[in-house]
Amino acid sequence: MLRITVLLGATLIPVGDGGERLARDPHPLLPIIQYAMERYQAIDAQIRDYTCTLVRREQIDGRLSPPEFLAVKLRHGRTEPGKPPVPFAVYLKFLAPAEVQGREVLYVEGRYDGKMIVRRGGIRMPYVTAALSPTGALAMQKNRYPVTEIGFKNLLMRLIEVAREDAEHPECEVRYYTGAKVNGRPCTLVEVTHPIRRSHFRYHLARVYIDDELLIPVRYAAFDWPAESNGEPRLMEEYTYLNVRLNQGLTDWDFDYRNENYGFRKDFQPPESAR
């Protein structure tokens, strides 16, 4: 596997009086930010929807959750001249582990009074269906981010925002690896490291895997600094998109709780303003 290393450093440049001054090299995150912005624009223009399996692990209240497997249907919001706007929409079905298996989540921007429709799933009372605020305490109890921020387009935007913050500071190392693989698919791995812990850095180590064919981020993992010197970095969050199928022609029915393929209670009454 080929590795290319780019380090942020300082270069000594001679000056006329025989002295030297420090000149900062361009920040190594700048090419990444530019590339991510280009890919974000391309995704916005070329990808209307997709299906995939999402595998996620998140550290919540200092504890790392077991891997969760979710079947995902996602449609990007868009506006086209002469056509009614198409809202952002997402449907999730939890496949594992057992305590959440069968849980379903449905969110359509601008519908259901801004709430998501949730079927409890799991072992106890699996068919209980309720409307919850995506950012409410109950919905966020075991999640780092609300359902409104799911998907690799939102992931790219979050990476751009964090990289812009990081580019304001030195002490950053970037490595590129070719020949990496995710679920057997060739990828390019971008690894960003902050060697020294600073209050302005959100993470110690981040890895982004870009699918070489689809040109989308299919895995992102962020690690905290080791708890002990010479210890291993601690995983904070990891999201892997498997079996991605782009532009599947998803319709409003794919994001309707009454869909016969879904397990929401059919007698459920959504908020009045959503009807």
Side-chain angles (χ1 to χ4, degrees):
M1 184 163 61
L2 175 64
R3 183 177 77 179
I4 305 175
T5 304
V6 181
L7 297 176
L8 174 67
T11 303
L12 288 173
I13 298 179
V15 294
D17 59 1
E20 293 176 322
R21 64 182 176 86
L22 286 175
R24 289 291 177 186
D25 295 329
H27 200 288
L29 285 175
L30 295 182
I32 298 174
I33 294 171
Q34 180 62 37
Y35 177 79
M37 291 176 63
E38 292 172 356
R39 290 312 309 154
Y40 182 89
Q41 294 169 355
I43 290 171
D44 193 46
Q46 300 169 8
I47 301 178
R48 294 173 176 264
D49 59 55
Y50 58 89
T51 63
C52 66
T53 300
L54 171 62
V55 185
R56 72 178 183 184
R57 289 193 294 169
E58 298 179 322
Q59 187 180 130
I60 307 294
D61 296 329
R63 299 185 62 181
L64 186 63
S65 68
E68 293 182 331
F69 293 77
L70 300 84
V72 178
K73 294 181 180 180
L74 190 146
R75 181 180 67 189
H76 292 146
R78 65 185 184 276
T79 302
E80 298 180 2
K83 296 182 180 180
V86 176
F88 169 82
V90 60
Y91 165 80
L92 308 174
K93 184 173 183 179
F94 287 69
L95 308 176
E99 55 264 30
V100 294
Q101 187 175 21
R103 178 172 296 171
E104 293 175 285
V105 178
L106 184 65
Y107 175 79
V108 181
E109 187 176 22
R111 292 198 62 194
Y112 307 126
D113 199 25
K115 294 181 171 60
M116 59 183 190
I117 309 302
V118 180
R119 177 168 80 93
R120 179 184 176 90
I123 300 172
R124 298 176 61 251
M125 300 182 290
Y127 292 98
V128 170
T129 302
L132 301 176
S133 168
T135 56
L138 190 58
M140 295 298 298
Q141 192 173 29
K142 294 185 178 181
N143 296 283
R144 290 177 69 94
Y145 306 100
V147 68
T148 54
E149 296 183 20
I150 199 170
F152 47 72
K153 182 178 172 182
N154 284 322
L155 172 60
L156 262 179
M157 180 52 65
R158 191 158 64 244
L159 292 176
I160 291 170
E161 292 173 355
V162 174
R164 282 174 170 168
E165 291 178 5
D166 290 354
E168 296 295 321
H169 308 282
E171 301 171 328
C172 179
E173 178 181 324
V174 179
R175 292 186 176 94
Y176 300 84
Y177 300 84
T178 61
K181 289 190 176 182
V182 173
N183 199 32
R185 293 184 58 86
C187 296
T188 297
L189 165 60
V190 182
E191 185 177 86
V192 181
T193 306
H194 301 304
I196 301 175
R197 187 168 197 161
R198 306 293 188 192
S199 60
H200 45 257
F201 291 138
R202 301 192 192 187
Y203 60 89
H204 167 49
L205 169 68
R207 294 182 177 129
V208 184
Y209 295 75
I210 307 297
D211 188 288
D212 289 344
E213 177 188 357
L214 301 178
L215 299 179
I216 58 175
V218 291
R219 175 178 288 170
Y220 169 73
F223 299 81
D224 203 350
W225 280 265
E228 302 175 354
S229 59
N230 300 322
E232 291 295 321
R234 296 169 295 166
L235 181 64
M236 299 165 58
E237 55 188 15
E238 181 181 54
Y239 309 94
T240 305
Y241 293 86
L242 306 175
N243 307 315
V244 179
R245 301 288 183 268
L246 303 178
N247 295 324
Q248 295 298 288
L250 301 179
T251 68
D252 288 344
W253 190 239
D254 289 289
F255 306 102
D256 194 311
Y257 72 94
R258 296 167 296 183
N259 190 312
E260 65 275 6
N261 295 316
Y262 302 159
F264 301 102
R265 288 181 62 94
K266 299 305 183 280
D267 59 352
F268 172 72
Q269 296 296 314
E272 290 291 331
S273 62
R275 295 185 183 180

